[in-house]
Amino acid sequence: MSAVKLPESPAAFAEATWEDIAPYYAALAAAPLDDGALDEWLETWSRLEELLTEAASLAMIAYTVNTADPAREAAHLRFSTELMPRLEERSVELARRLVESGLSRPGMETTLARFRTQIGLFREANIPIFSELETLGTRYQRITGSMTATWDGEEIPLPRLQPFLKSPDRALRERAFLASTAPYVAAHDELAAIFDRMYLLRQEAAQNAGFANFRDYIFPAKFRFDYTPEDCERFHRAVERAVAPAVERVLEQRRRRLGLEVLRPWDLQVDPERREPLTPFRTEEELTGRAARVFERVDPAFGAEFRTMIGEGLLDLESRKGKAPGGYCDTLHYRGRPFIFMNAVGVVDDVMTLMHEAGHAFHAFESDTQPLIWQRHPGSEAAELASMSMELLATPHLADAGGYFTPDEARGAWLEHLEDILLSLSHIASVDAFQNWIYTSGRGGDAAARDAEWLRMRERFERGVDWSGLERERVARWYRQLHIFLYPFYYIEYGIAQIGALQVWRNSLADHRTAVDAYRRALSLGATRPLPELYAAAGARLTFDADEIAELVALVERQIDALRDEAVPAG
Ligand SMILES: [Zn+2]
């Protein structure tokens, strides 16, 4: 294997064409592969993918921090549309070679299971199907991405309505809600037609691979080896039984504090304590410096890792003209470092987003000790366990020494976070149960039946809000859930991870040190253990059990009540 000489850094691939890359894969495909050669072969392949994925990540980061530069856009597109798809093809070929060799090493079991599944699902006939799905996805994004609202005679992008949805002026909130929903109502037929086609293509791809429907195909395709569709249905029933009534109580409190007869959908974002919006930080230095102190309180090791990110320029958090929207945490595998991108403007949500993304970043730091690239990144159920647990471990420290908030402000932020957890579990159950129905009922190709089913799901999981006269607006909600269009079935992972994160948090209330140590150890396992073992290492159970979920919901509600009781009456 010494025949394959790799470049010294990802910079060597920054300008690469496929002709520059192909010889490395060809050499690995041709190199002798037996037990004696295996370690070096794996190491070389892994190193090659570290170099290439890092080059691709650097191109993506460079573009998202400055989308106005055409050269950066071209470089990013070259990686994402030309190089990465071909690289993935070659990777699957090498994976097939490895699997067929029958060779293995300790710590490679989960990697080989994923490789075997990928190979087993591959069908030549599905290549054009997935490519058409990509095109349809792009069309969906183009339509929704260019939506604007008419506001005071002006056409404005939808995110600019956000502040009005939080306004204490109820009539203004109603107007903002209707303005932000109207473009989806108007695009209904067009979006429904896109989904009709997506539905047919997905069912066809599943049948080509030997499955009865796309739901049955997606479980192995998403490497869901440790839970079943029936477990997901148990999760839905548990949410219906334990979470939906808790959400109703939370919303009833909100209704009373707002002094309203009934809650309408535009009453959900306004602060019932009617405080001025908080400014937890003013500059990026304040945002990052305070975060480092918060993480230090959770664990000095996390504090040190975050300071490394500050020192090495691995954070780009401030909103600036020309930056791409949204936020993400990406891993630079060759350097063994994470990178966090955000669009912070100085609001509470920015702090919560940073706590979440930092959880992913610590996962990248801790799992970098795993020698091979495939051993580091587990699926979303474990990745989101890392980030959601960090939200819960960090939030109690947001007011500590030189932190973001006064103790009373921190109490408000914590309360809001806990309420959001309950509301989001209900939403997650709706989205998952809805997709389950789409692909298994036999009627998912019928646009009217889909909309009717969505309304039934909302009645089942989301109570406490009066939607009368707003049926079209309520239906529009699922067209806005881009996962249903772009990443089918990707959603319940958040629910599974939240249930795990609540257990990590519960452990920390009893014994902070032991809970955080277990959490950190679980992160360091990367992807080398099956999901239930990763959860167990973190001190949690991978569970779909209604009683266990109800217990966690009760803990959240007790905490919510305690925080409300602590409220300082407004002067
Ligand atoms: Zn996340």
Side-chain angles (χ1 to χ4, degrees):
M1 272 315 294
S2 43
V4 185
K5 177 111 180 54
L6 297 174
E8 292 293 317
S9 102
F13 286 119
E15 310 283 328
T17 63
W18 181 247
E19 284 61 45
D20 302 321
I21 296 167
Y24 294 103
Y25 279 94
L28 282 160
L33 184 57
D34 54 31
D35 196 64
L38 178 64
D39 290 325
E40 204 184 333
W41 188 82
L42 283 172
E43 211 173 287
T44 309
W45 177 20
S46 174
R47 206 70 175 157
L48 174 63
E49 302 228 337
E50 286 179 6
L51 288 161
L52 290 167
T53 58
E54 181 158 328
S57 290
L58 291 171
M60 190 262 296
I61 291 166
Y63 169 63
T64 52
V65 302
N66 182 5
T67 57
D69 181 343
R72 291 177 182 218
E73 182 178 9
H76 167 54
L77 283 176
R78 200 179 70 250
F79 272 103
S80 60
T81 64
E82 285 174 37
L83 303 182
M84 295 316 278
R86 303 179 83 164
L87 183 155
E88 276 157 32
E89 255 171 63
R90 289 299 128 84
S91 279
V92 175
E93 282 166 26
L94 293 182
R96 188 184 293 273
R97 203 173 165 221
L98 175 65
V99 166
E100 282 169 3
S101 78
L103 299 166
S104 182
R105 285 288 180 268
M108 285 290 287
E109 299 83 357
T110 52
T111 299
L112 285 166
R114 289 197 300 268
F115 284 168
R116 255 182 245 116
T117 304
Q118 230 173 0
I119 293 163
L121 291 176
F122 178 80
R123 295 292 183 281
E124 195 76 41
N126 281 344
I127 294 176
I129 291 183
F130 287 118
S131 145
E132 188 181 345
L133 279 165
E134 283 286 321
T135 310
L136 290 166
T138 310
R139 198 183 307 161
Y140 169 83
Q141 279 180 302
R142 216 175 19 242
I143 294 167
T144 57
S146 61
M147 281 178 175
T148 56
T150 314
W151 191 253
D152 293 339
E154 213 192 317
E155 288 300 312
I156 62 168
L158 300 186
R160 281 189 43 204
L161 291 170
Q162 272 303 318
F164 304 113
L165 290 166
K166 296 181 193 240
S167 166
D169 177 348
R170 198 182 193 203
L172 187 67
R173 292 203 300 273
E174 176 176 355
R175 202 151 66 79
F177 171 82
L178 293 173
S180 69
T181 315
Y184 283 92
V185 172
H188 174 277
D189 294 356
E190 196 181 359
L191 295 177
I194 290 177
F195 195 85
D196 284 344
R197 182 73 189 144
M198 285 179 152
Y199 168 82
L200 288 175
L201 289 169
R202 285 176 183 149
Q203 296 289 50
E204 192 186 333
Q207 273 144 23
N208 287 343
F211 292 89
N213 59 61
F214 185 68
R215 196 268 320 262
D216 291 352
Y217 168 86
I218 205 76
F219 269 69
K222 287 166 83 36
F223 306 136
R224 293 179 174 179
F225 301 138
D226 304 291
Y227 61 98
T228 62
E230 291 69 39
D231 287 326
C232 294
E233 286 171 19
R234 284 169 65 209
F235 178 85
H236 307 154
R237 287 195 297 273
V239 169
E240 184 178 11
R241 203 188 87 192
V243 182
V247 167
E248 225 173 344
R249 287 188 286 273
V250 162
L251 293 178
E252 172 58 16
Q253 275 282 346
R254 163 174 282 271
R255 185 195 66 74
R256 251 188 279 159
R257 282 191 296 161
L258 287 170
L260 299 171
E261 282 284 300
V262 284
L263 278 185
R264 301 285 272 160
W266 45 83
D267 298 322
L268 302 181
Q269 294 194 46
V270 58
D271 179 0
E273 295 184 18
R274 294 164 197 268
R275 294 163 304 187
E276 285 297 300
L278 303 177
T279 24
F281 60 92
R282 288 178 197 283
T283 63
E284 179 154 341
E285 287 65 40
E286 281 181 5
L287 173 60
T288 56
R290 288 170 188 179
R293 287 196 291 277
V294 169
F295 297 133
E296 218 137 71
R297 294 293 173 105
V298 178
D299 190 314
F302 294 139
E305 285 169 356
F306 195 75
R307 286 190 198 284
T308 299
M309 296 188 76
I310 298 175
E312 296 185 9
L314 298 166
L315 301 162
D316 192 318
L317 308 184
E318 223 168 2
S319 173
R320 272 194 320 275
K321 193 165 177 287
K323 273 177 85 166
Y328 61 79
C329 176
D330 199 19
T331 304
L332 305 172
H333 277 284
Y334 187 82
R335 280 174 74 173
R337 294 282 193 260
F339 181 91
I340 299 178
F341 173 95
M342 277 175 50
N343 274 286
V345 291
V347 297
V348 177
D349 284 352
D350 296 332
V351 176
M352 298 317 300
T353 303
L354 181 56
M355 299 301 122
H356 179 96
E357 298 303 341
H360 289 308
F362 300 142
H363 205 173
F365 271 106
E366 300 296 331
S367 63
D368 189 55
T369 49
Q370 297 293 340
L372 302 171
I373 192 167
W374 314 281
Q375 295 175 311
R376 295 176 198 148
H377 273 220
S380 313
E381 300 89 349
E384 298 302 329
L385 176 69
S387 54
M388 289 173 149
S389 298
M390 184 48 65
E391 294 174 22
L392 286 162
L393 293 170
T395 310
H397 299 288
L398 295 181
D400 290 359
Y404 296 103
F405 302 118
T406 67
D408 191 55
E409 290 170 348
R411 186 194 58 78
W414 188 208
L415 181 62
E416 202 178 306
H417 187 63
L418 293 170
E419 292 183 350
D420 280 350
I421 287 177
L422 298 178
L423 289 159
S424 72
L425 284 170
S426 284
H427 181 63
I428 290 164
S430 313
V431 172
D432 191 65
F434 179 54
Q435 295 191 84
N436 189 56
W437 178 89
I438 286 178
Y439 296 102
T440 60
S441 66
R443 297 199 295 139
D446 175 341
R450 278 196 309 261
D451 291 348
E453 185 62 22
W454 172 254
L455 290 175
R456 259 195 299 280
M457 292 296 170
R458 289 311 238 196
E459 291 295 331
R460 180 179 171 198
F461 294 110
E462 279 204 332
R463 302 171 212 147
V465 181
D466 177 9
W467 282 86
S468 47
L470 296 166
E471 202 166 273
R472 285 182 320 170
E473 285 76 8
R474 200 174 197 187
V475 163
R477 181 64 184 87
W478 85 259
Y479 291 89
R480 194 152 67 80
Q481 194 65 50
L482 61 89
H483 301 74
I484 299 174
F485 285 80
L486 303 179
Y487 315 109
F489 282 96
Y490 179 34
Y491 220 63
I492 196 159
E493 289 90 337
Y494 293 116
I496 293 169
Q498 189 63 264
I499 296 303
L502 288 171
Q503 296 173 68
V504 171
W505 171 60
R506 178 173 64 189
N507 299 343
S508 79
L509 297 177
D511 180 347
H512 179 87
R513 191 67 273 142
T514 308
V516 173
D517 284 347
Y519 164 75
R520 199 146 65 82
R521 222 173 16 254
L523 301 193
S524 74
L525 293 172
T528 58
R529 300 280 197 288
L531 191 59
E533 288 181 35
L534 293 176
Y535 271 54
R541 248 171 60 77
L542 177 71
T543 184
F544 302 87
D545 180 81
D547 290 333
E548 283 178 65
I549 292 174
E551 243 176 70
L552 293 163
V553 169
L555 173 67
V556 172
E557 275 200 283
R558 281 199 300 280
Q559 187 80 29
I560 287 174
D561 290 342
L563 289 165
R564 281 216 194 93
D565 291 344
E566 281 169 29
V568 181

